[in-house]
Amino acid sequence: MSRTVVAAEPGPLEVDLDTTALVIIDMQRDFLMPGGFGESLGNDVSLLGKAVGPCARVLEASRARKMLVIHTREGHRPDLSDAPRAKVERGDPSMRIGTVGPMGRILVRGEAGHDIIRELYPRDGEPVIDKPGKGAFYATDLHSILQNAGVETLIVCGVTTEVCVHTTVREANDRGYRCLVPGDCCGSYFPEFHEVGLRMIKAQGGIFGWVSDSTKVVEAFARAS
Ligand code: C5J
């Protein structure tokens, strides 16, 4: 047992770090760098950059504690057989999922844009979950991996706050996981959605989970018994 208390909202969260996993959602070039999926939808991708440093600090602290670290990537098979038409047929037709952009085919597995940014690159042994949807539990083996490792609490970081982070937190909450979201480790193309997304998680006594920040998480790790 390695217990600690993380300062969070709506209230402090007591966690056992031995049964806690860090889940980093979709910190891929396709979302964070020009020429990828995020930009193809008309977004200013530079807005996501500020989450990288805080995320890297929580990642480093988690690795130092030998916590389970899981990375996810949103994307599709090269033949797009797992990509619903309703998802593919939106946005600028010349820059849709599967079309060739400066980082390879947009949101397609194996392409440069689909991979995780250098600063947060997975280490050997850290599971990488390739997900076709927004939620990390949908059509993946994430739940099995967490159950087999005895995980009860998730620290969820990544992008974007109101889309894949939110969907994953909701899915996790319904599967019985306690979710802690360090807000500065998440980012959105819409600052107001980021703010409201975090508020939605912690509202009503923590309806989906708890919201904290990278400094408080790292401090709590340092105090763990
Ligand atoms: C989006 C994601 N925004 N990772 N994906 O389409 O949040």
Side-chain angles (χ1 to χ4, degrees), residues 49-71:
K50 60 177 184 288
V52 176
C55 212
R57 285 192 284 282
V58 172
L59 174 59
E60 188 189 340
S62 303
R63 283 174 171 160
R65 290 213 65 93
K66 308 225 175 315
M67 266 172 49
L68 176 61
V69 174
I70 296 179
H71 307 258

Side-chain angles (χ1 to χ4, degrees), residues 123-134:
R123 284 197 185 153
D124 284 351
E126 294 175 352
V128 178
I129 306 285
D130 279 322
K131 61 188 188 60
K134 303 304 181 194

Side-chain angles (χ1 to χ4, degrees), residues 25-26 28 31 37 41 74 131 134 159-160 163-165 189:
I25 303 290
D26 301 358
Q28 298 162 252
F31 293 105
F37 184 58
L41 297 175
E74 180 179 349
K131 61 188 188 60
K134 303 304 181 194
V159 297
T160 60
V163 183
C164 290
V165 171
Y189 304 119

